[in-house]
Amino acid sequence: MNFNPADTNILIIEDEIAIAEGLVDLCELNGYKVKHAADGETGLAEALTGAYGLILLDLMLPGIDGFTVCDKIREQDKSVPIIILSAKNSDEDIINGLKYGADDYISKPFSVPMLLARIEAVLRRSTQMMESEGRMVAGHLKVNFREYAGTRGKEELSFTRKEIEILEYLWNNRDRAVPRAELLKKVWGYENVESVDTRTVDIHITKLRKKIEDEPSHPKLLVTFRGEGYQMRSSPECEKST
């Protein structure tokens, strides 16, 4: 399934006018429809209209910071793709950005081809999500992929779009180790995985374990095989992991 840039509205939330103008020109030149918001409060209000297929979000914003904007968007909309663009590039910043529900995190300064490739990858993956009802049941864990929700025993669970995409891919390929490079290609849609920071995968896996595992530090469902990748088990009975 292909996507058409002309059908995609992009919201850019960025307070530095020079950067914002460059992003607007770049996106429009490549066929996207674009709107710009220069502060967190305006950007959040615009994002919550539901009119956008992608949000490019700076973190250091006047008024409401980008982390809060991302978090509040995710409270109401778990499906819209969010890419954080920020000069803050520490491990803590990246972890926080993904924790609040961003699909991708790109550090400034960035190259134009790389940014366009990451935008296209996120949007392409978004259009390729399965339309049929999808569910997983593993022990007392139940997840409805289409509703971004599930239960672990009696506990209600809520997932972001990216978390669901990861779970769905791992579940469809359960009982085998899926390499990080394969996840980056199939879930994130990246062609050139050598240039992508694999911490993005690891951070999302850590987040998922906190939701689906009874003991996240000793996973039984989503296990790691060093040098091979991540494996989703069809049952939690086998405890061997490395």
Side-chain angles (χ1 to χ4, degrees), residues 17 21 26 40 48 56 62 78 84 95 115 142 181 191-192 194 196 198 207 220 229 233 235 239:
I17 298 303
E21 289 178 346
L26 176 65
L48 294 181
L56 299 181
K78 294 180 173 25
I84 288 177
I95 290 170
L115 174 60
K142 298 179 181 179
E191 294 297 330
N192 182 17
E194 290 76 14
V196 179
T198 59
K207 287 173 57 187
K220 296 180 180 180
R233 298 187 186 279
S235 75
E239 299 187 23

Side-chain angles (χ1 to χ4, degrees), residues 1 7 44 111 138 144 170 192 197 205 223 226 241:
M1 183 185 300
D7 296 330
L44 176 60
S111 73
N144 185 314
L170 290 174
N192 182 17
D197 192 337
I205 293 295
V223 299
R226 289 193 179 93
S241 64

Side-chain angles (χ1 to χ4, degrees), residues 8-19:
T8 303
N9 295 324
I10 295 180
L11 174 63
I12 297 171
I13 308 176
E14 167 66 65
D15 66 315
E16 294 188 40
I17 298 303
I19 294 177

Side-chain angles (χ1 to χ4, degrees), residues 205-223:
I205 293 295
T206 298
K207 287 173 57 187
L208 278 171
R209 282 179 173 151
K210 290 179 179 179
K211 293 183 178 183
I212 70 173
E213 298 282 359
D214 293 333
E215 297 181 68
S217 60
H218 297 88
K220 296 180 180 180
L221 282 172
L222 181 48
V223 299

Side-chain angles (χ1 to χ4, degrees), residues 74 82 94-95 97-105 159-167 170 183-184 187-188 190 197-212 222 230:
R74 282 292 175 248
I82 300 173
I94 295 172
I95 290 170
L98 298 177
K99 180 182 74 174
Y100 285 120
D103 293 88
D104 205 349
Y105 193 112
F159 300 93
T160 66
R161 187 180 66 88
K162 186 57 63 180
E163 289 170 344
I164 284 295
E165 289 179 358
I166 296 168
L167 275 178
L170 290 174
L183 284 172
L184 287 169
V187 175
W188 273 264
Y190 299 147
D197 192 337
T198 59
R199 288 178 297 178
T200 298
V201 177
D202 300 336
I203 291 167
H204 275 94
I205 293 295
T206 298
K207 287 173 57 187
L208 278 171
R209 282 179 173 151
K210 290 179 179 179
K211 293 183 178 183
I212 70 173
L222 181 48
Y230 296 108

Side-chain angles (χ1 to χ4, degrees), residues 16-235:
E16 294 188 40
I17 298 303
I19 294 177
E21 289 178 346
L23 289 171
V24 169
D25 290 344
L26 176 65
C27 291
E28 288 182 342
L29 184 63
N30 284 272
Y32 299 102
K33 299 175 184 176
V34 187
K35 186 161 186 176
H36 168 235
D39 63 79
E41 187 173 358
T42 303
L44 176 60
E46 192 64 38
L48 294 181
T49 64
Y52 299 94
L54 174 69
I55 297 171
L56 299 181
L57 175 64
D58 185 27
L59 291 180
M60 295 182 285
L61 297 167
I64 305 175
D65 66 84
F67 289 129
T68 303
V69 171
C70 189
D71 189 36
K72 289 185 176 297
I73 292 172
R74 282 292 175 248
E75 288 179 359
Q76 296 192 36
D77 188 340
K78 294 180 173 25
S79 63
V80 61
I82 300 173
I83 298 178
I84 288 177
L85 306 176
S86 178
K88 297 164 70 70
N89 60 5
S90 69
D91 284 352
E92 182 180 3
D93 292 323
I94 295 172
I95 290 170
N96 282 334
L98 298 177
K99 180 182 74 174
Y100 285 120
D103 293 88
D104 205 349
Y105 193 112
I106 300 176
S107 299
K108 298 176 181 177
F110 45 80
S111 73
V112 168
M114 184 272 290
L115 174 60
L116 287 173
R118 302 279 276 271
I119 289 173
E120 182 175 336
V122 168
L123 291 172
R124 190 175 300 281
R125 177 60 190 169
S126 183
T127 62
Q128 290 174 343
M129 288 190 69
M130 297 171 59
E131 296 181 356
S132 61
E133 284 293 319
R135 300 173 184 271
M136 69 171 285
V137 178
H140 61 285
L141 173 70
K142 298 179 181 179
V143 179
N144 185 314
F145 298 135
R146 301 285 73 81
E147 295 181 1
Y148 303 95
T151 57
R152 193 182 76 236
K154 295 183 179 180
E155 181 181 357
E156 298 287 336
L157 302 175
S158 176
F159 300 93
T160 66
R161 187 180 66 88
K162 186 57 63 180
E163 289 170 344
I164 284 295
E165 289 179 358
I166 296 168
L167 275 178
E168 187 169 22
Y169 189 81
L170 290 174
W171 181 249
N172 289 339
N173 292 274
R174 57 190 174 275
D175 297 323
R176 76 171 177 89
V178 178
R180 287 181 180 86
E182 182 176 337
L183 284 172
L184 287 169
K185 287 183 178 180
K186 300 298 185 179
V187 175
W188 273 264
Y190 299 147
E191 294 297 330
N192 182 17
V193 298
E194 290 76 14
S195 63
V196 179
D197 192 337
T198 59
R199 288 178 297 178
T200 298
V201 177
D202 300 336
I203 291 167
H204 275 94
I205 293 295
T206 298
K207 287 173 57 187
L208 278 171
R209 282 179 173 151
K210 290 179 179 179
K211 293 183 178 183
I212 70 173
E213 298 282 359
D214 293 333
E215 297 181 68
S217 60
H218 297 88
K220 296 180 180 180
L221 282 172
L222 181 48
V223 299
T224 302
F225 286 88
R226 289 193 179 93
E228 297 182 49
Y230 296 108
Q231 181 188 94
M232 177 65 73
R233 298 187 186 279
S234 54
S235 75

